[in-house]
DNA sequence: TTGACATAGTTAGGTGGCTAACTATATGCT
DNA sequence: AGCATATAGTTAGCCACCTAACTATGTCAA
C-alpha cells in the first residue's frame, strides 16, 4: 500500500524559508520548495483516492489487498506474501485481513502442505466489490492524467525516476559529500 | 503534516494492467502507471524522511508541529490554528501536543483573553531539537534534489502543478465526461 | 439579559501503520 | 534422531490519523 505522512496544507513560502535559512545556512530554498511540493501533490492525490474508496466502505489498504489477490491466477495468496507485496509488516497484514474477513471479501483456509501457512482467497463478494469500485477508479485516474499530454507524462516519469534513484539519502549513512 | 497511504512496493506492470484492462475497459494503462509512479515516489520519500526523523525521536507529525511553531515570531500558536495549518483534525492535534508536552518540547498556557484557548509555545528544548535535526534534513533534501538541474526542477514543478489542479477528480461528483 | 449559536479543546472508539515478543511448524545439520 | 535455526502468523502495545459527541466559553441578537 501507499503510506504517506504529512498532509501539508501550508507549505512554507519563500519568505518563511528565508527565515529558516538564516538559522540553518544549509538551506537551499528552491530544493526545499520542490521537495515539499512533490510530497504534497502525492499526499493530496493519495487522500483523494482514499476518500473515493471510503465511499465504497473500502478503507485504504484493504482495497490494495483485494487487487493483489485479483492479480493471481487462482485469486489466492498467503498473508506473508501479501504483506511483502503491499510493503507492510506481517502484523499489519493480519489486521487488514481480519477486516476483510469480517466483511467476507476474502476467505482463509489452512495450508495442507505447510501447516503454518494460511491461504487467503478473494471471494465472489470481494470480486464484486472490486467490480463496483474499479471502473470509477480508472475513469478518475484517466481524467486526472489528461492534465498532461503523452509527452509531458513521459517527461514526468523520467524526472521522477531521477529523484527516485536518490531515495536513500534519508537513510542512515548517505554519502553527503556529493 | 503530509499523510500518505499505500507504500506500494509492487506496482503492477503493463502485463498485469492488461489483465485488468480486459475486465475493466476504462483502463488506460499509461495513465495508471504514471499515477501510481507519482504516488510511489512521494510515498517512498515521505517514508525516508520519517525514518530520518525517527533517529531523533521525532515521530512524524510532531516535527511538523515544531516547525509551525518556529515560523511564528513569538514561537507560539493555538491547537486550532496548528491543526488547520497541519491539515489534521483538532482531535489529532490534541494527541500530538500531548506527546510533545510529555517530552517538554512545547509548553501550554491558558489564554487570558479567551479562556477557551490554550497557547502553545516552542520551548528552548524544542528549539534545540530542531537545531539538531534541521541541518541534516536540509543537507539531505539538497542532495536529493541535485538529481535535477534547475531547469528540470522548474519543469517538474510545472508538470506537478497541472496535475494538482485536477486533484478534485476523486471527490464526490467530478465531471467525468471530459 | 438571556437564549441560540459558534468556537476551543478533549474524549471515546475505530482504522491502519509499526516493533517486539510469542506460538507453532519446517528445515537442515551433525 | 535431535537440536538449532528459520519462517508463518498472531498478540500486545505504541503512534498518528479519523469522526462523533461532549464540555466550556464566547458572541450576538431579540
Amino acid at each position: 500500500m501507499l503510506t504517506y505522512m504529512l498532509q501539508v496544507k501550508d507549505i512554507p513560502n519563500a519568505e518563511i524559508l528565508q527565515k529558516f535559512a538564516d538559522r540553518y545556512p544549509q538551506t537551499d530554498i528552491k530544493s526545499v520548495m520542490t521537495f515539499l511540493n512533490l510530497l504534497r501533490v502525492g499526499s493530496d492525490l493519495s487522500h483523494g483516492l482514499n476518500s473515493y474508496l471510503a465511499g465504497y466502505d473500502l478503507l485504504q489498504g484493504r482495497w490494495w489487498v483485494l487487487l493483489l489477490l485479483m492479480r493471481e491466477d487462482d485469486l489466492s495468496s498467503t498473508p506473508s506474501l501479501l504483506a511483502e507485496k503491499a510493503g507492510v509488516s506481517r502484523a499489519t497484514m493480519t489486521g487488514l485481513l481480519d477486516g476483510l474477513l469480517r466483511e467476507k471479501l476474502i476467505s482463509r483456509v489452512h495450508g495442507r502442505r505447510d501447516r503454518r501457512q494460511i491461504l487467503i482467497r478473494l471471494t465472489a463478494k470481494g470480486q464484486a466489490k472490486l467490480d463496483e469500485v474499479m471502473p470509477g477508479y480508472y475513469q478518475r485516474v484517466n481524467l486526472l492524467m489528461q492534465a498532461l499530454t503523452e509527452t509531458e507524462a513521459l517527461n514526468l516519469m523520467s524526472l521522477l525516476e531521477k529523484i527516485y534513484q536518490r531515495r536513500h539519502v534519508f537513510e542512515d549513512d548517505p554519502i553527503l559529500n556529493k
Side-chain angles (χ1 to χ4, degrees), chain A:
Chain A
M1 287 85 52
L2 296 171
T3 321
Y4 273 55
M5 268 135 284
L6 277 180
Q7 193 210 346
V8 176
K9 293 295 176 200
D10 197 27
I11 281 194
N13 56 32
E15 188 190 339
I16 287 175
L17 279 172
Q18 186 53 55
K19 186 174 164 183
F20 279 79
D22 291 343
R23 187 171 190 108
Y24 307 118
Q26 303 82 0
T27 313
D28 180 288
I29 296 184
K30 283 175 190 160
S31 292
V32 176
M33 289 187 80
T34 309
F35 176 68
L36 290 179
N37 264 298
L38 173 55
L39 285 193
R40 182 175 59 173
V41 172
S43 155
D44 280 5
L45 291 180
S46 174
H47 275 261
L49 172 57
N50 262 6
S51 70
Y52 169 70
L53 294 172
Y56 296 87
D57 292 317
L58 260 191
L59 316 171
Q60 336 211 125
R62 297 184 188 176
W63 170 69
W64 199 255
V65 173
L66 295 184
L67 283 178
L68 287 173
L69 288 172
M70 186 178 159
R71 284 191 203 173
E72 302 297 324
D73 286 331
D74 58 357
L75 303 179
S76 301
S77 187
T78 67
S80 282
L81 280 173
L82 289 169
E84 191 186 334
K85 289 183 181 172
V88 300
S89 66
R90 295 198 313 275
T92 297
M93 188 51 66
T94 296
L96 291 174
L97 294 175
D98 281 351
L100 288 167
L101 193 66
R102 234 179 292 136
E103 298 176 41
K104 301 195 195 307
L105 301 177
I106 59 167
S107 64
R108 68 208 303 180
V109 231
H110 279 273
R112 290 168 305 284
R113 287 210 314 261
D114 186 334
R115 292 193 12 232
R116 292 170 306 179
Q117 279 193 168
I118 288 189
L119 204 65
I120 303 297
R121 191 166 203 285
L122 186 66
T123 61
K125 194 175 170 194
Q127 180 66 69
K129 176 67 86 171
L130 282 178
D131 289 348
E132 206 183 330
V133 165
M134 295 308 285
Y137 164 70
Y138 285 127
Q139 273 179 281
R140 285 168 170 79
V141 171
N142 291 346
L143 187 62
L144 181 73
M145 283 305 155
Q146 280 166 18
L148 303 187
T149 66
E150 194 157 325
T151 312
E152 285 174 330
L154 287 173
N155 190 206
L156 174 62
M157 296 267 268
S158 102
L159 294 172
L160 289 176
E161 177 59 27
K162 288 182 185 179
I163 293 174
Y164 192 64
Q165 280 170 8
R166 296 201 178 201
R167 68 190 174 281
H168 301 294
V169 289
F170 285 112
E171 287 168 14
D172 285 347
D173 250 327
I175 297 90
L176 277 180
N177 312 309
K178 204 33 169 300

